[in-house]
């Protein structure tokens, strides 16, 4: 495993340890998956390495899709995601996650007028 897949695996493991989220976090969305569902997006990373240390600052976005008539279901998922990731001690195999910090969230109604789409973002500092 390398640095770039290491933090993703740690985020997946943390989320799937939650009973509400287990089996609902995906990297590829398909229509056959049950609602509500969570899509994991790697939003990119920046190298902060110098001559003494190496690592990266990465951002992950978790998209929550819901057919519930309101924000209640998405907010419940946000609560579980937040509890599992904000300032979490993520277990990485080749490096260490120095910090996993909540950044922001948004909720919007999709153009079908039924599906709600929530996005919650986290910043990770990873050191090799």
């Amino acid at each position: 495993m390398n640095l770039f897949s290491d933090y993703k695996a740690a985020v997946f493991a943390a989320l799937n340890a939650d009973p509400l989220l287990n089996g609902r976090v995906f990297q590829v969305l398909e229509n056959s998956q049950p609602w509500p569902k969570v899509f994991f997006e790697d939003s990119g990373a920046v190298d902060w390495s110098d001559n003494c240390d190496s690592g990266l600052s990465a951002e992950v976005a978790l998209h929550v899709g819901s057919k519930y008539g309101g924000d209640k279901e998405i907010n419940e998922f946000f609560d579980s995601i937040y509890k599992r990731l904000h300032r979490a001690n993520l277990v990485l195999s080749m490096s260490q996650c120095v910090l996993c910090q909540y950044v922001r969230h948004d909720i919007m109604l999709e153009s079908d007028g039924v599906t709600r789409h929530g996005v919650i973002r986290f910043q990770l500092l990873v050191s090799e």
Side-chain angles (χ1 to χ4, degrees):
M1 190 170 289
N2 65 39
L3 182 60
F4 292 96
S5 59
D6 203 17
Y7 72 85
K8 294 176 201 175
V11 169
F12 269 107
L15 295 176
N16 280 306
D18 187 282
L20 180 66
L21 302 171
N22 186 282
R24 294 190 179 270
V25 182
F26 306 98
Q27 277 194 298
V28 176
L29 287 181
E30 298 174 359
N31 289 332
S32 62
Q33 295 162 340
W35 292 90
K37 49 186 148 189
V38 180
F39 172 71
F40 178 95
E41 175 190 358
D42 181 354
S43 299
V46 177
D47 185 351
W48 58 259
S49 302
D50 59 24
N51 289 338
C52 299
D53 296 305
S54 63
L56 54 88
S57 173
E59 184 175 296
V60 296
L62 298 155
H63 299 257
V64 180
S66 171
K67 298 278 189 184
Y68 183 82
D71 294 345
K72 180 180 180 241
E73 194 170 62
I74 287 180
N75 285 326
E76 287 172 353
F77 271 66
F78 280 176
D79 285 342
S80 289
I81 292 167
Y82 182 90
K83 287 174 186 170
R84 290 291 172 176
L85 295 182
H86 182 65
R87 298 200 176 164
N89 208 5
L90 297 179
V91 178
L92 284 73
S93 64
M94 293 185 55
S95 49
Q96 66 180 26
C97 183
V98 177
L99 178 66
C100 182
Q101 180 84 26
Y102 164 81
V103 176
R104 65 171 286 140
H105 75 275
D106 300 287
I107 299 175
M108 59 217 87
L109 184 62
E110 292 292 336
S111 60
D112 66 3
V114 176
T115 309
R116 296 194 187 270
H117 178 182
V119 183
I120 186 167
R121 299 177 188 282
F122 292 84
Q123 188 77 31
L124 288 82
L125 292 178
V126 181
S127 176
E128 252 188 320

